[in-house]
Amino acid sequence: QSVLTQPPSVSAAPGQKVTISCSGSSSNIGNNYVSWYQQLPGTAPKLLIYENNKRPSGTPDRFSGSKSGTSATLGITGLQTGDEADYYCGTWDSSLSAVVFGGGTKLTVL
Amino acid sequence: EVQLVESGGGLVQPGGSLRLSCAASGFSFSSYSMNWVRQAPGKGLEWVSSISYSGSYIFYAESVKGRFTMSRDNAQNSLYLQMNSLRAEDTAVYYCARAGDGSRLDIWGQGTMVTVSS
């Protein structure tokens, strides 16, 4: 069981918008920054969003992040088939003294 | 180019040991905390261990505490994970990842596969 909770899968058509939720608690999301990672099939994870809503250079502005209380959300607009991947949220858990991840969400672009 | 390259994975019997290495290049290795993250076949990401930039502070997941030891050699720009008493459930791809500000893991290696099986 992951400390952070994500839906196992989401899907949408090309060009549409999708959101992926990540739910935690006060010891992790509630008091620490959230990051999002994209893992394309057969590759290593890549940082997509950091500090809740910032994009590293190279992340298209179609990707956005937000946080409210003990939950975070990743938004993707203008979906492309190349966005099909697994997406993970992650943060530090102050009670566990550990990095924690969500279980991952598989995005399918129909 | 900023890069992390893992090595040392392979097939090992239950109860055996293995030492993973991660070679860093393209950045000031001694200025960053580092992490090991693993991914079992078909499963999600699981954090394994973190080490501060100086090596003074090390944290472990409960699942590996007492069996795995993380260390670093800043002079050699290298990170290590000594894995003892290996179990079948330790079978995974092991990634090393650089920790940026705000607990983000901003650079990842390509991973090295560890298989624990008789």
Side-chain angles (χ1 to χ4, degrees), chain A residues 20-32:
Chain A
I20 298 173
S21 61
C22 175
S23 178
S25 68
S26 58
S27 64
N28 42 66
I29 293 178
N31 284 284
N32 294 289

Side-chain angles (χ1 to χ4, degrees), chain A residues 33 35 37 39 43-47 50-51 88 91-92 97-103, chain B residues 35 37 39 43-47 50 59-60 95 101-106 108-110:
Chain A
Y33 286 123
S35 300
Y37 304 91
Q39 187 175 33
T43 69
K46 183 184 82 169
L47 179 66
Y50 68 99
E51 290 181 6
Y88 296 89
T91 187
W92 178 256
S97 291
V99 174
V100 292
F101 292 104
Chain B
N35 292 261
V37 176
Q39 186 171 35
K43 302 298 184 182
L45 301 177
E46 179 189 14
W47 172 79
S50 294
F59 301 95
Y60 297 97
Y95 297 101
D101 293 337
S103 76
R104 67 181 185 262
L105 304 183
D106 60 358
W108 295 66
Q110 86 290 349

Side-chain angles (χ1 to χ4, degrees), chain B residues 13-80:
Chain B
Q13 292 188 338
S17 298
L18 211 55
R19 189 195 197 206
L20 305 183
S21 300
C22 172
S25 60
F27 66 98
S28 179
F29 179 71
S30 60
S31 298
Y32 289 87
S33 295
M34 298 294 295
N35 292 261
W36 286 100
V37 176
R38 68 185 180 183
Q39 186 171 35
K43 302 298 184 182
L45 301 177
E46 179 189 14
W47 172 79
V48 173
S49 185
S50 294
I51 188 168
S52 63
Y53 67 94
S54 65
S56 298
Y57 300 97
I58 307 175
F59 301 95
Y60 297 97
E62 284 297 325
S63 58
V64 306
K65 201 172 289 185
R67 300 187 299 123
F68 290 11
T69 302
M70 187 176 186
S71 63
R72 65 189 298 161
D73 183 340
N74 286 342
Q76 297 294 322
N77 291 335
S78 293
L79 183 71
Y80 305 102

